[in-house]
């Protein structure tokens, strides 16, 4: 008679729920929604995680997927667009069943960022590429960090260098005893592309128009050329390193003269030629020095921050970048 044997029956994995709300269904938000929907079956199968999309907020309206009979009765049925209400949206995503809840802010809206401290304090996790939270008013940033004492997580890696692990790498280095000596970076792919292409064979304005047509710039190219976006990224890194910097502390030298900065967009695009002479002069200065032009953000060990166009030697690492590097 064969020996008896027994087999352990695996315990079914308990299904966990992560409720998700997305704010800002624009270009970034729409791509994220597609990724979330594509990931749902795999996460459920491999990780026992139900990724539950509970709603989407646009600039004026929000969409809720819910079973609240009273709410649905007032608005004509579930799964429709309703007037925008960020606090009601957050409460809907959080629910009252103790589930983990995550808000993903894909907007570039300061009003949305102002809600982060309250959401985090209520236990909602927040993930965002919105730079206005990390570089906005210092008291608000401090309130965001303090609100994380609730156990909620605030993740903002995509605010600097398009999601490359810069913020977390810096955090890990500091947490393990390293000292930050300096930061030098080319934080704008748009300005990197323009500097790499600006070799004197075409006017600078022609390159700006080409970058705009290719979608490399913001809808208003002045948002890139001003250097303000780069300054925001530098402030985020400075605060991560422990310096209480604000945008006003950054020595910022933009590429847009005041005469163009104040114009409507259409008129500014027509007058981009006014950038050509000063940029040609800077290029000539670089050639005379045997160097290259690069748009550089700098933070030194004393917390001094600057963003400007520099002439760098041809041996500098930034001289060997290509296009949007």
């Amino acid at each position: 008679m064969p020996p008896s044997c027994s087999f352990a029956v695996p315990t079914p994995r308990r299904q966990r729920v992560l409720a998700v709300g997305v704010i800002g269904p624009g270009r970034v938000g729409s791509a994220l929604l597609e990724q979330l929907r594509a990931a749902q079956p795999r996460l459920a199968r491999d990780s026992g995680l139900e990724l539950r999309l509970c709603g989407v907020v646009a600039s004026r309206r929000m969409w809720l997927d819910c079973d609240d009979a009273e709410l649905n009765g007032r608005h004509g049925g579930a799964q429709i667009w309703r007037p925008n209400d960020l606090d009601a949206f957050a409460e809907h995503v959080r629910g009252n069943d103790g589930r983990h809840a995550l808000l993903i802010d894909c907007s570039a809206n300061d009003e949305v960022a102002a809600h982060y401290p309250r959401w985090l304090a209520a236990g909602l996790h927040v993930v965002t590429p919105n730079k206005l939270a990390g570089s906005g008013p210092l008291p608000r940033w401090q309130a965001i960090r303090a609100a994380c004492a609730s156990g909620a997580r605030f993740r903002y890696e995509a605010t600097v260098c398009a999601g490359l692990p810069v913020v977390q790498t810096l955090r890990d280095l500091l947490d393990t005893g390293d000292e930050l000596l300096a930061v030098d970076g080319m934080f704008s792919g748009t300005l990197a592309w323009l500097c790499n292409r600006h070799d004197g064979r075409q006017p600078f304005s022609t390159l700006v128009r080409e970058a705009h047509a290719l979608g490399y710039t913001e809808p208003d190219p002045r948002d890139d050329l001003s250097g303000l976006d780069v300054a925001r990224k530098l402030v985020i890194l400075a605060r991560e390193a422990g310096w209480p910097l604000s945008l006003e502390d950054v020595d910022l030298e933009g590429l847009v003269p005041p005469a163009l900065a104040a114009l409507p967009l259409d008129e500014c695009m027509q007058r981009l030629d006014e950038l050509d002479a000063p940029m040609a002069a800077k290029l000539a200065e670089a050639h005379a020095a045997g160097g290259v032009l690069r748009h550089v953000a700098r933070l030194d060990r004393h917390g001094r921050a600057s963003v400007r166009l520099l002439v760098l030697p041809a041996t500098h690492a930034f001289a060997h970048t290509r296009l949007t590097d």
Side-chain angles (χ1 to χ4, degrees):
M1 185 174 181
S4 62
C5 59
S6 61
F7 297 93
V9 177
T11 303
R13 178 180 291 173
R14 180 174 176 268
Q15 191 82 359
R16 297 167 296 155
V17 175
L18 177 62
V20 178
V22 175
I23 302 169
R27 184 171 58 182
V28 173
S30 296
L32 174 66
L33 286 168
E34 291 182 8
Q35 291 175 339
L36 291 175
R37 292 189 180 104
Q40 282 175 320
R42 176 178 56 80
L43 290 173
R45 181 187 68 245
D46 298 343
S47 303
L49 176 65
E50 179 189 349
L51 197 62
R52 184 180 298 170
L53 180 62
C54 294
V56 178
V57 172
S59 58
R60 294 183 179 86
R61 299 181 297 169
M62 64 181 182
W63 173 88
L64 302 181
D65 181 8
C66 68
D67 298 317
D68 186 324
E70 191 274 334
L71 185 63
N72 294 338
R74 280 192 283 124
H75 293 284
Q79 302 186 22
I80 65 168
W81 289 99
R82 301 182 170 94
N84 191 338
D85 184 330
L86 288 172
D87 287 329
F89 179 77
E91 281 299 309
H92 168 69
V93 174
R94 186 172 67 139
N96 56 9
D97 55 3
R99 63 193 179 190
H100 286 284
L102 167 65
L103 296 175
I104 306 176
D105 175 20
C106 297
S107 75
N109 188 294
D110 195 60
E111 180 187 353
V112 176
H115 285 73
Y116 290 1
R118 185 159 63 253
W119 292 342
L120 290 162
L124 288 120
H125 307 298
V126 176
V127 173
T128 185
N130 186 348
K131 289 181 280 291
L132 299 180
S135 64
L138 184 60
R140 184 173 70 193
W141 171 247
Q142 293 167 335
I144 288 172
R145 299 303 291 262
C148 292
S150 70
R153 298 180 182 181
F154 178 54
R155 295 292 182 264
Y156 48 98
E157 187 70 67
T159 58
V160 180
C161 296
L164 291 174
V166 173
V167 174
Q168 188 59 51
T169 299
L170 174 60
R171 182 75 267 146
D172 289 344
L173 289 170
L174 295 172
D175 286 346
T176 52
D178 283 288
E179 178 185 359
L180 181 65
L181 301 180
V183 172
D184 274 24
M186 295 172 60
F187 293 160
S188 169
T190 302
L191 291 169
W193 188 90
L194 288 169
C195 287
N196 277 305
R197 290 290 308 278
H198 185 41
D199 56 9
R201 288 182 290 184
Q202 297 183 79
F204 187 73
S205 59
T206 299
L207 296 174
V208 173
R209 291 189 177 98
E210 182 181 350
H212 186 257
L214 291 170
Y216 290 165
T217 73
E218 295 295 328
D220 187 338
R222 290 172 295 187
D223 292 342
D224 299 292
L225 298 173
S226 69
L228 181 59
D229 189 62
V230 172
R232 290 190 183 281
K233 297 173 185 178
L234 191 60
V235 167
I236 290 170
L237 290 180
R239 290 176 176 178
E240 194 67 32
W243 284 297
L245 255 64
S246 296
L247 278 175
E248 296 77 17
D249 300 318
V250 180
D251 183 8
L252 173 60
E253 183 181 296
L255 305 184
V256 183
L260 291 184
L263 294 176
L265 176 58
D266 290 345
E267 188 175 350
C268 174
M269 295 299 291
Q270 293 171 6
R271 292 175 54 180
L272 281 178
D273 295 356
E274 295 176 26
L275 298 174
D276 293 341
M279 289 302 297
K282 291 181 182 293
L283 184 63
E285 177 188 350
H287 286 170
V292 297
L293 279 180
R294 294 293 184 264
H295 192 267
V296 179
R298 283 185 164 170
L299 176 70
D300 69 18
R301 65 188 305 168
H302 304 293
R304 292 187 293 255
S306 64
V307 173
R308 56 166 44 91
L309 196 65
L310 296 177
V311 175
L312 298 177
T315 54
H316 195 284
F318 293 168
H320 304 290
T321 59
R322 295 291 179 268
L323 298 180
T324 58
D325 287 354

